[in-house]
Amino acid sequence: MKILNSNEFDNAIASGIVLVDFYADWCGPCKMLSPVIEGLAEKMEQVNFYKLNVDASSDIAGRYGVQAIPNLIIFKDGKAVDQITGFVPENEIVKHLQNLL
């Protein structure tokens, strides 16, 4: 799964349904959530999945008010339409995504 930087972010979320996993390398729950997100990326081809390191791209994290991680933000055609904070099971993430498909 591609890790976005600040320069790539706006282009990556511009069209379609995109889930961005806001994370940090030192975050335990982020490490637990990562394989869940990677599994979903393989199953749900109609959604684009990305990761964004909040330490390396604090400007983007600030733009979306990310204060707790892991934080999943779902975008549709460039606009944030849903957000999930903290570790959640796969089926919960799927529910949020299916509402947009």
Side-chain angles (χ1 to χ4, degrees):
M1 185 176 346
K2 180 163 178 53
I3 298 174
L4 298 174
N5 64 39
S6 296
N7 296 330
E8 302 167 314
F9 184 82
D10 289 327
N11 205 28
I13 67 163
S15 65
I17 297 172
V18 179
L19 182 144
V20 179
D21 176 10
F22 288 77
Y23 79 101
D25 292 330
W26 48 263
C27 167
C30 299
K31 291 176 185 175
M32 290 171 35
L33 187 60
S34 189
V36 173
I37 300 298
E38 289 170 10
L40 281 174
E42 292 177 14
K43 293 178 197 170
M44 301 186 79
E45 295 178 6
Q46 65 275 46
V47 178
N48 291 314
F49 290 83
Y50 297 104
K51 294 175 77 71
L52 184 118
N53 186 313
V54 297
D55 291 331
S57 300
S58 59
D59 56 328
I60 302 295
R63 183 193 310 173
Y64 292 98
V66 174
Q67 296 183 345
I69 51 175
N71 197 317
L72 307 176
I73 300 181
I74 303 168
F75 297 88
K76 185 168 186 179
D77 297 329
K79 298 200 183 322
V81 294
D82 202 354
Q83 189 167 356
I84 307 166
T85 304
F87 179 84
V88 292
E90 179 180 311
N91 65 331
E92 186 68 25
I93 299 166
V94 169
K95 274 195 258 179
H96 284 260
L97 290 170
Q98 284 179 334
N99 288 336
L100 299 170
L101 296 175

